[in-house]
Amino acid sequence: MKWLLVLVACTVWATDPPGPDEAKTLGKPLPAISLIEDGGQALPLESLKGKPLILNPLFISCPHTCSPILQSLKKSVKQLRAEGLDFNVLTFTFDPRDDDAALARIRQKLNLPPEWKIARGTPDQIDTLFKALDFRTTDLGKGVYGHPNLVAVADGGLLLRKYVYGTELYPDEMRLALKEAAQPPPKTLLQSISRPWLGVLTILAAGMGFWLSKLYRRSSRARSK
């Protein structure tokens, strides 16, 4: 019987879609959408700005990895908050069958604190958020979905900064992800150039354009003779 359970689990995990393409998502903003909390009130993602944000996608009837991920996340969050780290947590379902009552049961079962956000959304809202996260699911039938095992971490400006993978989310790796998200995002080349030098480069570029244009006109006149 034990080997049969292992075989079933491996069969389900083998159908999980690939993880996100980090080159396309990291550093990009989360969409300006509004979800619905377990109490029925609207939850705009914009309202979670100002602190790093852990995003925990799941579906409540998941028979395999969602529950271990959520339970280990709860343990890590408790420890990290005891250390003084300040951040938001958003657990959201992508199963359209999950209603407010189902969300409330999860909160009660795990005794999640009020500041831990639990939400649902319309299929369009979830699809928009999943595109930003590059989080893909596979409908396996009978209310079961294949999905990557991860949480995502955004910074206080809601720029996606990190993924943490696995069904066991350890405090050490969550701490590193949150501290990275609390740092200013890396500057682009233009942002790293100081304002005076940017002005100088602009003048040089304009001068270069002028002389290239003048050389082109001379060349054109020479060819026309």
Side-chain angles (χ1 to χ4, degrees), residues 139-176:
D139 190 342
L140 303 176
K142 298 183 180 180
V144 177
Y145 299 89
H147 58 85
N149 298 316
L150 58 82
V151 297
V153 182
D155 64 19
L158 298 186
L159 298 180
L160 190 59
R161 299 290 296 276
K162 193 80 174 176
Y163 294 97
V164 182
Y165 298 91
T167 57
E168 186 71 24
L169 303 172
Y170 297 101
D172 287 348
E173 58 185 350
M174 293 304 304
R175 184 186 301 107
L176 286 173

mmCIF file of all heavy atoms in Angstrom, residues 139-176:
data_model
loop_
_atom_site.group_PDB
_atom_site.id
_atom_site.type_symbol
_atom_site.label_atom_id
_atom_site.label_comp_id
_atom_site.label_asym_id
_atom_site.label_seq_id
_atom_site.Cartn_x
_atom_site.Cartn_y
_atom_site.Cartn_z
ATOM 1 N N ASP A 139 -5.029 21.263 -15.330
ATOM 2 C CA ASP A 139 -6.259 20.661 -14.806
ATOM 3 C C ASP A 139 -6.176 19.151 -14.999
ATOM 4 O O ASP A 139 -6.195 18.644 -16.125
ATOM 5 C CB ASP A 139 -7.474 21.231 -15.537
ATOM 6 C CG ASP A 139 -8.793 20.827 -14.892
ATOM 7 O OD1 ASP A 139 -8.796 19.854 -14.110
ATOM 8 O OD2 ASP A 139 -9.819 21.468 -15.171
ATOM 9 N N LEU A 140 -6.063 18.416 -13.911
ATOM 10 C CA LEU A 140 -5.924 16.956 -13.962
ATOM 11 C C LEU A 140 -7.260 16.240 -13.856
ATOM 12 O O LEU A 140 -7.311 15.011 -13.866
ATOM 13 C CB LEU A 140 -5.000 16.481 -12.835
ATOM 14 C CG LEU A 140 -3.596 17.090 -12.832
ATOM 15 C CD1 LEU A 140 -2.816 16.603 -11.620
ATOM 16 C CD2 LEU A 140 -2.855 16.758 -14.115
ATOM 17 N N GLY A 141 -8.338 17.010 -13.756
ATOM 18 C CA GLY A 141 -9.664 16.428 -13.638
ATOM 19 C C GLY A 141 -10.027 16.137 -12.194
ATOM 20 O O GLY A 141 -9.167 16.057 -11.305
ATOM 21 N N LYS A 142 -11.328 16.004 -11.947
ATOM 22 C CA LYS A 142 -11.863 15.696 -10.613
ATOM 23 C C LYS A 142 -11.433 16.717 -9.571
ATOM 24 O O LYS A 142 -11.187 16.386 -8.399
ATOM 25 C CB LYS A 142 -11.443 14.282 -10.179
ATOM 26 C CG LYS A 142 -11.983 13.178 -11.086
ATOM 27 C CD LYS A 142 -11.603 11.800 -10.587
ATOM 28 C CE LYS A 142 -12.161 10.721 -11.505
ATOM 29 N NZ LYS A 142 -11.800 9.345 -11.046
ATOM 30 N N GLY A 143 -11.312 17.966 -10.005
ATOM 31 C CA GLY A 143 -10.996 19.043 -9.072
ATOM 32 C C GLY A 143 -9.566 19.082 -8.591
ATOM 33 O O GLY A 143 -9.271 19.689 -7.557
ATOM 34 N N VAL A 144 -8.659 18.451 -9.336
ATOM 35 C CA VAL A 144 -7.246 18.428 -8.943
ATOM 36 C C VAL A 144 -6.424 19.162 -9.997
ATOM 37 O O VAL A 144 -6.675 19.014 -11.202
ATOM 38 C CB VAL A 144 -6.730 16.979 -8.783
ATOM 39 C CG1 VAL A 144 -5.243 16.977 -8.445
ATOM 40 C CG2 VAL A 144 -7.526 16.249 -7.699
ATOM 41 N N TYR A 145 -5.444 19.949 -9.544
ATOM 42 C CA TYR A 145 -4.589 20.717 -10.439
ATOM 43 C C TYR A 145 -3.123 20.368 -10.187
ATOM 44 O O TYR A 145 -2.697 20.223 -9.038
ATOM 45 C CB TYR A 145 -4.769 22.228 -10.217
ATOM 46 C CG TYR A 145 -6.170 22.726 -10.464
ATOM 47 C CD1 TYR A 145 -7.113 22.735 -9.443
ATOM 48 C CD2 TYR A 145 -6.549 23.197 -11.722
ATOM 49 C CE1 TYR A 145 -8.399 23.198 -9.660
ATOM 50 C CE2 TYR A 145 -7.839 23.665 -11.943
ATOM 51 C CZ TYR A 145 -8.762 23.655 -10.915
ATOM 52 O OH TYR A 145 -10.038 24.112 -11.135
ATOM 53 N N GLY A 146 -2.364 20.253 -11.269
ATOM 54 C CA GLY A 146 -0.915 20.212 -11.162
ATOM 55 C C GLY A 146 -0.388 21.635 -11.163
ATOM 56 O O GLY A 146 -0.913 22.498 -11.867
ATOM 57 N N HIS A 147 0.646 21.896 -10.367
ATOM 58 C CA HIS A 147 1.170 23.260 -10.266
ATOM 59 C C HIS A 147 2.572 23.228 -9.691
ATOM 60 O O HIS A 147 2.949 22.277 -8.986
ATOM 61 C CB HIS A 147 0.275 24.110 -9.362
ATOM 62 C CG HIS A 147 0.121 23.545 -7.972
ATOM 63 N ND1 HIS A 147 1.028 23.802 -6.957
ATOM 64 C CD2 HIS A 147 -0.815 22.727 -7.440
ATOM 65 C CE1 HIS A 147 0.647 23.168 -5.866
ATOM 66 N NE2 HIS A 147 -0.464 22.496 -6.123
ATOM 67 N N PRO A 148 3.391 24.246 -9.960
ATOM 68 C CA PRO A 148 4.714 24.328 -9.319
ATOM 69 C C PRO A 148 4.567 24.519 -7.811
ATOM 70 O O PRO A 148 3.585 25.105 -7.340
ATOM 71 C CB PRO A 148 5.355 25.563 -9.963
ATOM 72 C CG PRO A 148 4.545 25.838 -11.183
ATOM 73 C CD PRO A 148 3.164 25.348 -10.896
ATOM 74 N N ASN A 149 5.525 24.029 -7.061
ATOM 75 C CA ASN A 149 5.520 24.174 -5.603
ATOM 76 C C ASN A 149 6.443 25.329 -5.229
ATOM 77 O O ASN A 149 7.669 25.197 -5.241
ATOM 78 C CB ASN A 149 5.991 22.876 -4.945
ATOM 79 C CG ASN A 149 5.066 21.722 -5.261
ATOM 80 O OD1 ASN A 149 3.852 21.856 -5.211
ATOM 81 N ND2 ASN A 149 5.640 20.584 -5.605
ATOM 82 N N LEU A 150 5.835 26.468 -4.898
ATOM 83 C CA LEU A 150 6.636 27.661 -4.623
ATOM 84 C C LEU A 150 5.804 28.728 -3.948
ATOM 85 O O LEU A 150 4.571 28.659 -3.916
ATOM 86 C CB LEU A 150 7.217 28.227 -5.936
ATOM 87 C CG LEU A 150 6.237 28.621 -7.045
ATOM 88 C CD1 LEU A 150 5.637 30.026 -6.825
ATOM 89 C CD2 LEU A 150 6.915 28.590 -8.394
ATOM 90 N N VAL A 151 6.500 29.709 -3.392
ATOM 91 C CA VAL A 151 5.906 31.000 -3.053
ATOM 92 C C VAL A 151 6.731 32.064 -3.761
ATOM 93 O O VAL A 151 7.899 31.842 -4.095
ATOM 94 C CB VAL A 151 5.869 31.263 -1.529
ATOM 95 C CG1 VAL A 151 4.987 30.249 -0.827
ATOM 96 C CG2 VAL A 151 7.269 31.291 -0.931
ATOM 97 N N ALA A 152 6.110 33.199 -4.011
ATOM 98 C CA ALA A 152 6.802 34.328 -4.642
ATOM 99 C C ALA A 152 6.919 35.452 -3.617
ATOM 100 O O ALA A 152 6.079 35.586 -2.716
ATOM 101 C CB ALA A 152 6.046 34.805 -5.867
ATOM 102 N N VAL A 153 7.967 36.259 -3.749
ATOM 103 C CA VAL A 153 8.192 37.376 -2.831
ATOM 104 C C VAL A 153 8.355 38.658 -3.641
ATOM 105 O O VAL A 153 9.188 38.724 -4.556
ATOM 106 C CB VAL A 153 9.439 37.144 -1.952
ATOM 107 C CG1 VAL A 153 9.619 38.311 -0.980
ATOM 108 C CG2 VAL A 153 9.319 35.834 -1.182
ATOM 109 N N ALA A 154 7.533 39.649 -3.318
ATOM 110 C CA ALA A 154 7.624 40.969 -3.955
ATOM 111 C C ALA A 154 8.142 41.981 -2.938
ATOM 112 O O ALA A 154 8.050 41.765 -1.725
ATOM 113 C CB ALA A 154 6.257 41.401 -4.479
ATOM 114 N N ASP A 155 8.682 43.084 -3.440
ATOM 115 C CA ASP A 155 9.166 44.124 -2.526
ATOM 116 C C ASP A 155 8.034 45.079 -2.153
ATOM 117 O O ASP A 155 6.876 44.895 -2.557
ATOM 118 C CB ASP A 155 10.374 44.851 -3.119
ATOM 119 C CG ASP A 155 10.038 45.616 -4.401
ATOM 120 O OD1 ASP A 155 8.846 45.903 -4.651
ATOM 121 O OD2 ASP A 155 10.981 45.947 -5.147
ATOM 122 N N GLY A 156 8.371 46.100 -1.387
ATOM 123 C CA GLY A 156 7.355 47.037 -0.915
ATOM 124 C C GLY A 156 6.679 47.829 -2.012
ATOM 125 O O GLY A 156 5.596 48.393 -1.802
ATOM 126 N N GLY A 157 7.298 47.886 -3.192
ATOM 127 C CA GLY A 157 6.679 48.546 -4.336
ATOM 128 C C GLY A 157 5.928 47.580 -5.225
ATOM 129 O O GLY A 157 5.502 47.947 -6.320
ATOM 130 N N LEU A 158 5.792 46.335 -4.758
ATOM 131 C CA LEU A 158 5.109 45.254 -5.479
ATOM 132 C C LEU A 158 5.831 44.862 -6.769
ATOM 133 O O LEU A 158 5.203 44.460 -7.746
ATOM 134 C CB LEU A 158 3.644 45.608 -5.766
ATOM 135 C CG LEU A 158 2.758 45.840 -4.548
ATOM 136 C CD1 LEU A 158 1.305 46.044 -4.978
ATOM 137 C CD2 LEU A 158 2.861 44.701 -3.546
ATOM 138 N N LEU A 159 7.167 44.980 -6.754
ATOM 139 C CA LEU A 159 7.979 44.417 -7.824
ATOM 140 C C LEU A 159 8.372 42.993 -7.417
ATOM 141 O O LEU A 159 8.825 42.762 -6.291
ATOM 142 C CB LEU A 159 9.242 45.237 -8.070
ATOM 143 C CG LEU A 159 9.064 46.685 -8.515
ATOM 144 C CD1 LEU A 159 10.431 47.338 -8.702
ATOM 145 C CD2 LEU A 159 8.270 46.771 -9.809
ATOM 146 N N LEU A 160 8.188 42.055 -8.316
ATOM 147 C CA LEU A 160 8.515 40.665 -8.017
ATOM 148 C C LEU A 160 10.023 40.512 -7.901
ATOM 149 O O LEU A 160 10.762 40.882 -8.805
ATOM 150 C CB LEU A 160 7.959 39.765 -9.126
ATOM 151 C CG LEU A 160 8.002 38.266 -8.882
ATOM 152 C CD1 LEU A 160 7.216 37.901 -7.635
ATOM 153 C CD2 LEU A 160 7.442 37.524 -10.088
ATOM 154 N N ARG A 161 10.491 39.954 -6.768
ATOM 155 C CA ARG A 161 11.928 39.918 -6.520
ATOM 156 C C ARG A 161 12.502 38.514 -6.368
ATOM 157 O O ARG A 161 13.692 38.312 -6.579
ATOM 158 C CB ARG A 161 12.249 40.727 -5.261
ATOM 159 C CG ARG A 161 11.871 42.201 -5.344
ATOM 160 C CD ARG A 161 12.781 42.961 -6.310
ATOM 161 N NE ARG A 161 14.140 42.968 -5.830
ATOM 162 C CZ ARG A 161 14.620 43.828 -4.945
ATOM 163 N NH1 ARG A 161 13.838 44.762 -4.431
ATOM 164 N NH2 ARG A 161 15.890 43.771 -4.578
ATOM 165 N N LYS A 162 11.678 37.530 -5.963
ATOM 166 C CA LYS A 162 12.251 36.231 -5.609
ATOM 167 C C LYS A 162 11.182 35.144 -5.636
ATOM 168 O O LYS A 162 10.015 35.412 -5.362
ATOM 169 C CB LYS A 162 12.848 36.317 -4.196
ATOM 170 C CG LYS A 162 13.742 35.172 -3.791
ATOM 171 C CD LYS A 162 15.131 35.310 -4.370
ATOM 172 C CE LYS A 162 16.079 34.242 -3.852
ATOM 173 N NZ LYS A 162 17.398 34.306 -4.473
ATOM 174 N N TYR A 163 11.622 33.921 -5.976
ATOM 175 C CA TYR A 163 10.803 32.728 -5.771
ATOM 176 C C TYR A 163 11.519 31.836 -4.760
ATOM 177 O O TYR A 163 12.753 31.744 -4.757
ATOM 178 C CB TYR A 163 10.636 31.936 -7.070
ATOM 179 C CG TYR A 163 9.854 32.638 -8.156
ATOM 180 C CD1 TYR A 163 10.512 33.322 -9.174
ATOM 181 C CD2 TYR A 163 8.463 32.600 -8.181
ATOM 182 C CE1 TYR A 163 9.809 33.960 -10.185
ATOM 183 C CE2 TYR A 163 7.747 33.235 -9.194
ATOM 184 C CZ TYR A 163 8.422 33.903 -10.184
ATOM 185 O OH TYR A 163 7.727 34.528 -11.192
ATOM 186 N N VAL A 164 10.744 31.171 -3.918
ATOM 187 C CA VAL A 164 11.276 30.150 -3.019
ATOM 188 C C VAL A 164 10.552 28.854 -3.347
ATOM 189 O O VAL A 164 9.321 28.785 -3.278
ATOM 190 C CB VAL A 164 11.076 30.522 -1.539
ATOM 191 C CG1 VAL A 164 11.679 29.448 -0.634
ATOM 192 C CG2 VAL A 164 11.703 31.881 -1.233
ATOM 193 N N TYR A 165 11.319 27.834 -3.730
ATOM 194 C CA TYR A 165 10.734 26.604 -4.262
ATOM 195 C C TYR A 165 10.716 25.496 -3.212
ATOM 196 O O TYR A 165 11.560 25.458 -2.311
ATOM 197 C CB TYR A 165 11.542 26.124 -5.475
ATOM 198 C CG TYR A 165 11.548 27.100 -6.634
ATOM 199 C CD1 TYR A 165 12.547 28.069 -6.748
ATOM 200 C CD2 TYR A 165 10.559 27.064 -7.608
ATOM 201 C CE1 TYR A 165 12.565 28.964 -7.805
ATOM 202 C CE2 TYR A 165 10.562 27.951 -8.664
ATOM 203 C CZ TYR A 165 11.566 28.899 -8.768
ATOM 204 O OH TYR A 165 11.573 29.781 -9.812
ATOM 205 N N GLY A 166 9.759 24.577 -3.393
ATOM 206 C CA GLY A 166 9.717 23.384 -2.556
ATOM 207 C C GLY A 166 8.457 23.316 -1.724
ATOM 208 O O GLY A 166 7.696 24.283 -1.599
ATOM 209 N N THR A 167 8.229 22.154 -1.123
ATOM 210 C CA THR A 167 7.069 21.962 -0.260
ATOM 211 C C THR A 167 7.391 22.278 1.196
ATOM 212 O O THR A 167 6.489 22.380 2.017
ATOM 213 C CB THR A 167 6.559 20.508 -0.354
ATOM 214 O OG1 THR A 167 7.623 19.613 -0.005
ATOM 215 C CG2 THR A 167 6.088 20.194 -1.771
ATOM 216 N N GLU A 168 8.651 22.450 1.511
ATOM 217 C CA GLU A 168 9.078 22.816 2.860
ATOM 218 C C GLU A 168 9.802 24.155 2.773
ATOM 219 O O GLU A 168 10.874 24.259 2.174
ATOM 220 C CB GLU A 168 9.998 21.757 3.449
ATOM 221 C CG GLU A 168 10.386 21.992 4.900
ATOM 222 C CD GLU A 168 9.247 21.767 5.873
ATOM 223 O OE1 GLU A 168 8.314 21.011 5.537
ATOM 224 O OE2 GLU A 168 9.276 22.358 6.969
ATOM 225 N N LEU A 169 9.191 25.177 3.336
ATOM 226 C CA LEU A 169 9.738 26.530 3.248
ATOM 227 C C LEU A 169 10.439 26.852 4.565
ATOM 228 O O LEU A 169 9.802 27.187 5.563
ATOM 229 C CB LEU A 169 8.619 27.534 2.963
ATOM 230 C CG LEU A 169 7.801 27.238 1.692
ATOM 231 C CD1 LEU A 169 6.599 28.162 1.606
ATOM 232 C CD2 LEU A 169 8.670 27.350 0.448
ATOM 233 N N TYR A 170 11.744 26.743 4.553
ATOM 234 C CA TYR A 170 12.522 26.886 5.780
ATOM 235 C C TYR A 170 12.728 28.367 6.129
ATOM 236 O O TYR A 170 12.838 29.218 5.244
ATOM 237 C CB TYR A 170 13.873 26.194 5.621
ATOM 238 C CG TYR A 170 13.752 24.706 5.414
ATOM 239 C CD1 TYR A 170 13.866 24.162 4.134
ATOM 240 C CD2 TYR A 170 13.498 23.855 6.483
ATOM 241 C CE1 TYR A 170 13.738 22.788 3.929
ATOM 242 C CE2 TYR A 170 13.370 22.482 6.291
ATOM 243 C CZ TYR A 170 13.491 21.957 5.016
ATOM 244 O OH TYR A 170 13.364 20.615 4.821
ATOM 245 N N PRO A 171 12.788 28.679 7.423
ATOM 246 C CA PRO A 171 12.974 30.080 7.836
ATOM 247 C C PRO A 171 14.206 30.730 7.230
ATOM 248 O O PRO A 171 14.161 31.910 6.859
ATOM 249 C CB PRO A 171 13.083 29.973 9.366
ATOM 250 C CG PRO A 171 12.334 28.734 9.720
ATOM 251 C CD PRO A 171 12.582 27.789 8.582
ATOM 252 N N ASP A 172 15.320 29.997 7.122
ATOM 253 C CA ASP A 172 16.551 30.595 6.600
ATOM 254 C C ASP A 172 16.375 31.103 5.177
ATOM 255 O O ASP A 172 16.787 32.229 4.848
ATOM 256 C CB ASP A 172 17.700 29.572 6.637
ATOM 257 C CG ASP A 172 18.203 29.330 8.042
ATOM 258 O OD1 ASP A 172 17.838 30.109 8.947
ATOM 259 O OD2 ASP A 172 18.953 28.368 8.245
ATOM 260 N N GLU A 173 15.757 30.302 4.300
ATOM 261 C CA GLU A 173 15.604 30.730 2.915
ATOM 262 C C GLU A 173 14.523 31.799 2.788
ATOM 263 O O GLU A 173 14.648 32.718 1.968
ATOM 264 C CB GLU A 173 15.315 29.543 1.997
ATOM 265 C CG GLU A 173 14.087 28.732 2.342
ATOM 266 C CD GLU A 173 13.958 27.500 1.457
ATOM 267 O OE1 GLU A 173 14.716 27.387 0.474
ATOM 268 O OE2 GLU A 173 13.087 26.651 1.739
ATOM 269 N N MET A 174 13.495 31.743 3.627
ATOM 270 C CA MET A 174 12.481 32.796 3.592
ATOM 271 C C MET A 174 13.063 34.108 4.109
ATOM 272 O O MET A 174 12.751 35.186 3.591
ATOM 273 C CB MET A 174 11.267 32.392 4.423
ATOM 274 C CG MET A 174 10.474 31.214 3.867
ATOM 275 S SD MET A 174 9.899 31.464 2.165
ATOM 276 C CE MET A 174 8.983 32.996 2.310
ATOM 277 N N ARG A 175 13.936 34.028 5.117
ATOM 278 C CA ARG A 175 14.584 35.238 5.647
ATOM 279 C C ARG A 175 15.426 35.914 4.568
ATOM 280 O O ARG A 175 15.370 37.141 4.380
ATOM 281 C CB ARG A 175 15.448 34.875 6.853
ATOM 282 C CG ARG A 175 16.075 36.086 7.537
ATOM 283 C CD ARG A 175 17.034 35.682 8.636
ATOM 284 N NE ARG A 175 16.396 34.888 9.672
ATOM 285 C CZ ARG A 175 16.568 33.576 9.839
ATOM 286 N NH1 ARG A 175 17.396 32.907 9.025
ATOM 287 N NH2 ARG A 175 15.964 32.938 10.800
ATOM 288 N N LEU A 176 16.204 35.122 3.849
ATOM 289 C CA LEU A 176 17.037 35.672 2.781
ATOM 290 C C LEU A 176 16.180 36.320 1.694
ATOM 291 O O LEU A 176 16.510 37.395 1.186
ATOM 292 C CB LEU A 176 17.902 34.572 2.176
ATOM 293 C CG LEU A 176 19.085 34.088 3.028
ATOM 294 C CD1 LEU A 176 19.753 32.884 2.369
ATOM 295 C CD2 LEU A 176 20.099 35.202 3.237
#
